Amino acid sequence: MVVEKKKKTINRLKSMYPLRAKVNETYLKSIEAIQAGKPAVWGMLNFYYGDPILKAMDIEVVYPENYGAIAAATGVAQQYLDRADAEGFPTHLCGYSLTTLGYASRMMKELNGQIPPEAPFGGMPKPLFLMASAAICDARYKWFQALGRYMDVPVWPLEAPIPGIKEFSIEGYYDKMVKLGIKHLRDFVTFVEGMVGKKMDWDRLDKTANLMIEVNRVWHEVNELRKARPCPMHSRDFWSAMPAALFLAGDLEDSLRLYQDMYKEVKDRINSHVGTIPEEKYRLVFAELPPWHSLAFFDKLAERGWNFVIESVGYHPPIPIDLSEVSDPLERITKFSLQFLVGYYEDARKQNVLGGTTAYPYLKYAKEWKCDGALLHPLISCRSASTHLPYVSDMLMEKLKVPSLSIEGDIVDLRLFNPEDALAKAEPFEETMEYYRKMRKQEGFDW
Amino acid sequence: MYFAGVDIGSTMTKVVLMDKSDNLLSAIKGPTGPEHRQLANEVMRQALEQANLQIDVISYIVATGYGRLNVPFADRQITELSCHARGVSSLFPNVRTAIDIGGQDAKCMKIDNGRLTSFVMNDKCAAGTGRFLEVTAATLGIGLEDMGDISLKATKRIQISNLCTIFAQQEVVALLSRGEKLENILAGLHDALANRIAALARRLGIEPDLVLTGGVAKNTGMVKAMKESLGCELFVPEEPLLTGALGAGILAKETYLKAVAEGEALPTKSRRLEKATFFSEGQR
């Protein structure tokens, strides 16, 4: 009997696949680097701050945070979570951190520094040092300190202070942040030079910084195209394609070409009026981090006509900023990274939305991408991706009459997410979205 | 012209039969049990008997609740949130907020003219549901139906610090061994549950009129605790378990009459009252 393969509801972009493959490539390169006696580093997602420096010095970087998501998506996270549990780490800590602490424990205590054979994408090799970052997430120092104890390697913490929206309007604040950032990066360069025993190639850093900015500009433009109706690109494609820009995965010139290809494919879909799902009944914004272990959940929602047209602000590139007149690459890198943190602040202050870096953008998203609803995913093990969500929900309703559906879960631990239960809420939420669609019309909104 | 609403909840199955003027002809409740696929037909049979009707005279049937997909004779399935909203509104036309505390979850709903406008649910943890009371009633060796009345005799309200149902159970045992009076412990348990659900409702935003439904609304101690925790008047239907089935029945009637008015052919299922099996879907 011939079994007909079920057609997937979400029409994935062809141009997404090579971008997704770049992540795999990054992990393999880090292993090759170690085998060839070259340095590899474990880095925390740092929002473009430390990465270009490592890239310009030919240091391969892998990201435990990203690896936690990969381990969850490939179904191997649970054994690392169990191992972290056995090590005595509280189960309510960040799921990414627990996964990689379990991984580090297995690698260092059980396998004498060898990569665990079950590790997906070839695994993360033992690093030369750890690059922590304080950007966005308050757990990151402690997580990397704990990893450092297993690895017995230095931990460099990248400082990334995030001002409040009101404080940011104090005269001179921005300039002081830039000065602090440049000084800190200069110290970091010195540290890295000492670790690898060679000097920074400043011309190369200059070129790397420019490429990083351009890659992210094109990626930003791709996402702007998603305002079209029907939306030509689903959040699943976004999550698959974003690591290449966010983590500067692989060769940046190659990434630039791939994002340009994606721009063209998305544009073609718009011109042909092709959406990413068969019938776009509802347009939704997703906040914040998805349940990596259960992404097929979004296919079920797509069958109901739910199109996720914008998402996860922390994974989006900064709003483009012209830095072509900035000659010092460290200053350019600092300003670009700051743009991620404060790029929405001026708009947010004008509208009196004081939720910091990650709250206001959802208001902009819902308004400009014309969303009917928001699916909020508060994480039981993550404060940074959860604490702003009630405020986001209130603001969306108060200012735009856009309702939210909140579904608790976790990024890694699938025991904390129940897709069936979540799907049971979809139907009544459609009634809610319909109701507020009428309310918006009555109040003069244009969607 | 007759209509039926079938609500298969996690603990109880409810059926109402009504005519086109919304007169209730029968209302039956029965425990859902583990095999609700085999129960809907039985509860429907009882309801028909009470109303002295045959199944084939029922014009349209709507099923709701967790087991709504397992009612082979239902013409349409509608979520319990929508049905509760409709049912509560038919009894309390000015309702704007409804709280339904069932055996498996607690739902807080905002309602506008019988329509659900938003909702929140406690569904990850038994501590905010009727299960919390069921477990502690069993621990204390008293009937679930007696808990509320006993708690009203409390001379002080013991604070239960554990939100987890299992740990709260242990705490209750420890309190009993310390010599605390049963009624005071029960008052504390009701407070703990009420405070948790009130917090959920506040998240949604409470607007009067406020109505409490679900099996837990039959508990007098819980109604008192909810009123105190919410700090506002609370209405309770005479039969708080039936609002979902009632809403399903009303929606059945509205769906049918709308189709008739628009000359639309409305598909209906076979009116055979048989047990649902895993093999019956393909035969219908």
Side-chain angles (χ1 to χ4, degrees), chain A residues 129-160:
Chain A
F129 64 89
L130 297 162
M131 178 180 70
S133 164
I136 299 288
C137 168
D138 63 321
R140 294 169 175 208
Y141 279 153
K142 306 307 291 181
W143 169 6
F144 268 52
Q145 276 175 3
L147 282 176
R149 285 197 291 274
Y150 283 103
M151 299 295 167
D152 193 23
V153 295
V155 182
W156 180 274
L158 283 174
E159 292 286 359

Side-chain angles (χ1 to χ4, degrees), chain A residues 390 393-394 405 408 416 418 421 424-425 427-429 431-432 434-436 438, chain B residues 66 68 77-79 81-82 96 112 114-119 121 123-124 203:
Chain A
S393 171
D394 291 347
L405 175 62
E408 278 187 4
L416 301 174
N418 181 348
D421 193 51
K425 290 177 183 147
E427 195 179 331
F429 189 61
E431 195 173 332
T432 302
E434 294 283 358
Y435 176 84
Y436 282 103
K438 283 182 188 159
Chain B
Y66 285 95
R68 64 182 179 274
Q77 284 76 29
I78 298 179
T79 70
L81 286 158
S82 302
R96 296 285 294 166
D112 182 17
R115 287 196 63 181
L116 177 74
T117 61
S118 54
F119 63 93
M121 292 173 74
D123 47 17
K124 278 275 187 301
R203 176 77 206 105

Side-chain angles (χ1 to χ4, degrees), chain B residues 3-37:
Chain B
F3 303 95
V6 183
D7 177 7
I8 306 209
S10 63
T11 311
M12 299 291 282
T13 289
K14 292 80 69 175
V15 173
V16 301
L17 294 177
M18 57 177 54
D19 62 19
K20 71 171 182 180
S21 305
D22 289 351
N23 293 313
L24 214 57
L25 306 175
S26 69
I28 296 288
K29 294 169 283 182
T32 296
E35 275 295 341
H36 56 241
R37 283 176 163 259

